[in-house]
């Protein structure tokens, strides 16, 4: 199926618009991470206690918060869990701050919540469904492992593209993926949405998705250069992007509709995971065209100005 037959869009001619778009969202995210919300870490990384409580009737969150305050528990985060249709349910997640969950006495947080509700909440009956506890030491270990997982995945992709194409192709692809990750994490900071382990899983997923899309474009560039080596590289890149445009729109569009449905109807538990995928799919598709390809052309132009030979991708290795 081909949506864009004989497309002839000058993508590289719009590179300055793309650069401006990327700078706006990247800088906004960085400023938010540095001076506003920081990187909002979930209980998986900063430690704490999550108590899942089911009430007999729809609870009043203000009354729950007042019950916590009356018991001397400050800084709690209360989140309502929606059902699969997105409707409000009778279950709440009561999150205790980091200081309330120490390695030596982390069970005290659960007992504090139970005592506070039993003594000060009288709207309806309740029952504790589940308790999740992460000590600060474990949280720091998980945070380090998340950084290592992201870094190793980028390094592995760089080495693979260096082997299959040339180093500049790997650098351009990794830079595009870093751009995607920065904007996605920045989006979480801007809306103050907590980053959890499931969000890290979504970020790793979008790294692979974005890289795959970039490789498709690079592979078409290699095929076109093999037949027209005297053609200007910018023209070859434009033609290659246009030739893969239908595949990009169909694949990314269907994936985006799926994750958008998950975001809208998946409920509170999957909200962070699906939000990361929604942002990541959009930015990842955009960066393959607007970041990786222009960076490749800019490097080749710089080499030609220096009087050096252009770097061409290695020929396809036949299986």
């Amino acid at each position: 199926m081909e949506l864009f037959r004989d497309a002839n869009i000058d993508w590289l001619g719009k590179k300055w618009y793309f650069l401006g778009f990327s700078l706006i969202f990247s800088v906004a995210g960085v400023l938010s991470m540095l001076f506003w919300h920081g990187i909002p870490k979930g209980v998986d990384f900063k430690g704490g206690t999550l108590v899942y409580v089911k009430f007999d009737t729809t609870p009043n969150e203000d009354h729950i918060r007042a019950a916590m305050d009356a018991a001397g528990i400050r800084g709690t985060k209360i989140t309502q869990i929606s059902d699969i249709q997105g409707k409000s349910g009778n279950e709440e997640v009561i999150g205790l701050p980091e200081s309330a969950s120490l390695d030596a006495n982390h069970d005290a947080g659960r007992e504090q919540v139970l005592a506070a509700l039993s003594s000060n909440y009288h709207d309806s009956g309740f029952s504790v469904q589940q308790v999740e506890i992460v000590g600060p030491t474990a949280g720091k270990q998980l945070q380090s492992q998340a950084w290592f997982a992201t870094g190793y995945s980028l390094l592995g992709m760089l080495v693979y593209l260096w082997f299959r194409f040339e180093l500049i192709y790997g650098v351009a692809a990794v830079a595009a993926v870093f751009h995607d990750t920065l904007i996605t994490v920045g989006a979480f900071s801007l809306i103050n949405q907590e980053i959890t382990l499931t969000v890290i899983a979504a970020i790793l997923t979008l790294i692979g998705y974005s890289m795959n899309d970039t490789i498709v474009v690079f592979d078409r560039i290699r095929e076109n250069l093999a037949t027209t080596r005297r053609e200007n590289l910018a023209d070859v890149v434009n033609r290659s992007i246009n030739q893969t445009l239908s595949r990009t729109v169909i694949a990314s569009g269907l994936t985006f509709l799926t994750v958008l449905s998950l975001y809208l109807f998946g409920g509170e538990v999957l909200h962070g995971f699906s939000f990361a995928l929604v942002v990541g799919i959009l930015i990842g598709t955009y960066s393959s065209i607007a970041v990786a390809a222009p960076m490749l052309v800019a490097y080749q132009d710089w080499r030609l100005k220096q009087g050096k030979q252009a770097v061409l991708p290695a020929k396809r290795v036949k299986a």
Side-chain angles (χ1 to χ4, degrees), residues 25-40 147 182 185-190:
F25 285 93
S26 299
V27 171
V30 170
L31 291 178
S32 178
M33 287 186 280
L34 291 178
F35 304 111
W36 193 12
H37 292 138
I39 299 179
W147 281 111
L182 179 63
V185 175
F188 273 83
S189 179
L190 286 169

Side-chain angles (χ1 to χ4, degrees), residues 11-120:
W11 298 100
L12 294 180
K14 301 173 176 59
K15 60 184 178 182
W16 297 114
Y17 297 102
F18 293 147
L19 178 62
F21 176 87
S22 296
L23 282 177
I24 289 173
F25 285 93
S26 299
V27 171
V30 170
L31 291 178
S32 178
M33 287 186 280
L34 291 178
F35 304 111
W36 193 12
H37 292 138
I39 299 179
K41 303 170 187 174
V43 67
D44 296 336
F45 299 123
K46 66 183 180 182
T49 304
L50 295 179
V51 182
Y52 295 76
V53 183
K54 187 172 184 179
F55 296 85
D56 295 340
T57 61
T58 302
N60 186 314
E61 292 186 351
D62 291 334
H63 292 177
I64 297 175
R65 191 169 289 105
M68 297 295 109
D69 292 341
I73 305 175
R74 308 292 179 181
T76 58
K77 182 176 180 180
I78 301 172
T79 306
Q80 189 174 60
I81 298 180
S82 303
D83 59 22
I84 195 169
Q85 285 82 28
K87 298 179 180 178
S88 299
N90 294 343
E91 190 170 356
E92 299 277 345
V93 180
I94 301 175
L96 298 182
E98 178 182 358
S99 59
S101 182
L102 302 176
D103 282 344
N105 193 29
H106 56 262
D107 282 334
R110 175 183 58 189
E111 300 302 327
Q112 288 176 344
V113 171
L114 292 174
L117 291 176
S118 299
S119 301
N120 305 309

